[in-house]
Amino acid sequence: MIGHDDKVLPADPLEGISIAEFGARLRRGAATAEAATRAYLSRIAMLEPRLGAFVHVAEDDAIEQARALDRLLSTGTDLGPLMGVPVAVKDLFTVEGMPAPKCGSNVDISDLVEPEGEFIKRLKRAGCVILGKTRMTEFAFGLFNVTHRTPWNPCDPFVHRMPGGSSNGSAVALAAGLCAFSIGSDTGGSVRQPAALCGLFGLKPTFGLWPTDGVFPLSTTMDSIGPFTRSAEDAALVFAVLSNRTVPQPRRLKGLRLGRPRTHFFDNLGDEVRVATDRALRDLEVAGVEILPVEVSEASEIDTVFAPILSVELLVTLGARRFTKSKDILDPVVWNRAEPALRYTALEYAGQRRRQEALCRVAKQRMVGLDGWISTTAPEPAPPVMDYSSPERAAAWIRRNTHNTRPANLFGQCAASVALPGGMLPVGLQVACDGGRDESLLGICQAIEALFGRRTLPDMRRFL
């Protein structure tokens, strides 16, 4: 336990260690799932009023799950590397025994919610303890809402800064040490972008890698489930267990060939991000990585192709009548982004889908001879929330801060954000690989992380 004035904040059970090391401690009797779960629940109780990361905490159920897992392990039943690991999930997922997902909205979607899906069942079969459900932006459509509460980014105890989105609650929960890892979704950067702003590792797997039944859809053609972890090493373990694959091993940096896009990805960077990124690329070259220029001009089509597809597919799920009747209760950022889709024709949508398929082929050709592409994740560190109180300013911030993440979804790639160490405000480095090369992506990220070191999570005693 660590003290702060008259309050005592329980230590984060995974502070300074990996999920694998926690598992080793569990199996040799140096830790228990129940003790870890209780520690996280205590931290949530003390920090949540300030942070606003959760919409539901399943305290009694989580303790009961943890006790049951401890009993299983004591009798010789081992469910694998994630057994007894406490996790938080975005309120986009249906979880039996918990309130139905509201997806960050006041719109009644109870008739659209599916039963618990395969992904949550995999977490349970792996022995994870589900602590609760985390806050998100409305329908995962954008990084920020002007009318809904925004969780507090733990990187700064004094200024309420943007945590990113749409999986902002999951990012804040992990960055504050309220769980061992957390689950979000990524349709245009909704895991990678908040990971960059909160100093975490964020993974967007290949589209379709993990089943999305039981997950409220934004885009049925681009939604991906993605984890937030403290490190690429942890992400590799989570990926392997939930995909029933071998744990990806770190690649050797020497001989890696990474493309640096000539245009789009390095446009309009803030000074702090530019300096950190240039330094990281130089260090990678010194370590033996070839950084080669690559042309990816098609990334500019995120506005003409990506945006219409998302808007139409969200309205297909909600229904035009429900959407229009809900104008007064929808966040204006969501309304303004989705409303133009009411006037799209079937031919226009089909044309954009066909173009997206062509772009996936083009991106694959541009990746030939390369192990991946490298860029910044977000163009600036987390700014103060108060600077974006109008829908117009919020929309401009969203466009700028998904500038580099949306192309990976549009191109059908897998991608991740690696947190660079140093500095009060985090900066993320993005790596993207061909769709289906998730193991290679995680191997590259582990090697990059080994070179730079891991970013330390903030000292949450400052929030008490």
Side-chain angles (χ1 to χ4, degrees):
M1 305 284 276
I2 51 180
H4 178 82
D5 296 331
D6 60 338
K7 297 181 180 179
V8 178
L9 185 68
D12 178 348
L14 270 82
E15 183 177 358
I17 65 171
S18 66
I19 291 176
E21 175 57 27
F22 173 75
R25 293 182 181 185
L26 197 68
R27 284 157 181 80
R28 66 173 181 261
T32 67
E34 182 179 353
T37 298
R38 287 186 178 276
Y40 282 128
L41 290 170
S42 294
R43 289 175 66 87
I44 291 169
M46 296 179 72
L47 295 169
E48 175 60 17
R50 179 89 179 274
L51 298 177
F54 284 83
V55 296
H56 175 72
V57 180
E59 181 174 359
D60 293 341
D61 288 346
I63 292 172
E64 185 178 338
Q65 289 174 30
R67 284 176 177 165
L69 290 165
D70 284 333
R71 288 195 295 270
L72 279 176
L73 197 57
S74 70
T75 60
T77 300
D78 193 328
L79 301 180
L82 298 184
M83 184 174 186
V85 176
V87 59
V89 301
K90 185 176 183 176
D91 191 34
L92 203 66
F93 294 76
T94 300
V95 182
E96 288 181 9
M98 296 188 191
K102 293 186 176 180
C103 305
S105 181
N106 294 320
V107 177
D108 183 3
I109 56 168
S110 55
D111 58 313
L112 302 177
V113 172
E114 297 180 349
E116 181 178 283
E118 172 61 20
F119 183 82
I120 294 297
K121 293 185 186 301
R122 290 186 189 187
L123 284 177
K124 291 179 175 180
R125 288 197 295 267
C128 293
V129 177
I130 302 179
L131 297 170
K133 303 178 78 175
T134 55
R135 196 175 301 276
M136 57 179 284
T137 62
E138 189 165 28
F139 297 127
F141 199 36
L143 310 182
F144 178 66
N145 295 146
V146 296
T147 58
H148 300 173
R149 182 177 182 180
T150 298
W152 191 294
N153 189 328
C155 73
D156 189 340
F158 307 110
V159 178
H160 187 189
R161 294 184 179 274
M162 290 284 200
S166 62
S167 310
N168 46 29
S170 289
V172 168
L174 182 60
L178 307 184
C179 55
F181 71 97
S182 59
I183 299 296
S185 66
D186 190 312
T187 306
S190 291
V191 168
R192 288 161 291 149
Q193 195 267 352
L197 295 194
C198 293
L200 305 169
F201 185 85
L203 173 65
K204 185 210 93 66
T206 300
F207 172 78
L209 173 78
W210 287 327
T212 56
D213 58 305
V215 185
F216 192 87
L218 169 57
S219 167
T220 52
T221 59
M222 284 185 272
D223 287 346
S224 295
I225 297 170
F228 293 93
T229 56
R230 300 161 194 249
S231 65
E233 177 188 349
D234 279 357
L237 182 63
V238 171
F239 167 84
V241 172
L242 299 179
S243 307
N244 194 27
R245 301 187 186 185
T246 303
V247 179
Q249 297 302 301
R251 298 279 300 273
R252 290 187 61 218
L253 287 176
K254 186 175 178 58
L256 280 180
R257 295 166 58 87
L258 298 177
R260 183 189 190 278
R262 295 179 188 272
T263 58
H264 187 88
F265 291 87
F266 290 86
D267 296 346
N268 302 315
L269 301 184
D271 290 341
E272 188 173 350
V273 170
R274 184 178 298 281
V275 169
T277 303
D278 287 347
R279 184 188 305 119
L281 295 182
R282 287 196 301 270
D283 289 347
L284 286 169
E285 287 186 304
V286 170
V289 177
E290 290 186 72
I291 307 291
L292 305 168
V294 59
E295 184 57 52
V296 196
S297 59
E298 292 79 9
S300 64
E301 297 189 45
I302 54 176
D303 289 324
T304 57
V305 178
F306 176 94
I309 290 174
L310 255 65
S311 298
V312 170
E313 293 184 345
L314 175 60
L315 291 196
V316 167
T317 297
L318 293 175
R321 186 168 181 271
R322 186 194 316 252
F323 176 76
T324 53
K325 286 181 62 178
S326 303
K327 179 178 180 180
D328 292 340
I329 59 174
L330 282 163
D331 185 82
V333 175
V334 173
W335 173 267
N336 292 341
R337 290 187 69 194
E339 189 271 340
L342 292 169
R343 295 180 290 280
Y344 292 152
T345 67
L347 287 177
E348 287 173 322
Y349 171 74
Q352 300 300 355
R353 284 285 294 114
R354 181 171 293 182
R355 180 56 181 162
Q356 187 212 357
E357 292 169 359
L359 289 173
C360 290
R361 294 191 294 270
V362 170
K364 194 172 187 66
Q365 291 169 358
R366 299 283 167 79
M367 193 72 77
V368 172
L370 299 171
D371 294 291
W373 297 343
I374 194 161
S375 69
T376 60
T377 308
E380 62 181 352
V385 170
M386 67 180 296
D387 291 351
Y388 298 90
S389 57
S390 74
E392 295 75 21
R393 287 184 60 81
W397 184 79
I398 291 168
R399 283 194 299 274
R400 185 180 181 209
N401 279 269
T402 55
H403 190 76
N404 284 0
T405 55
R406 286 187 288 169
N409 303 85
L410 182 65
F411 296 154
Q413 296 171 325
C414 54
S417 182
V418 181
L420 296 176
M424 184 191 83
L425 300 181
V427 173
L429 196 64
Q430 179 176 245
V431 181
C433 295
D434 272 337
R437 300 202 64 199
D438 302 79
E439 286 94 342
S440 181
L441 170 68
L442 286 162
I444 293 169
C445 291
Q446 287 180 84
I448 291 173
E449 191 175 77
L451 175 67
F452 295 133
R454 300 176 185 175
R455 183 177 177 86
T456 303
L457 295 186
D459 182 355
M460 297 308 296
R461 291 175 296 181
R462 300 180 301 167
F463 282 79
L464 298 177

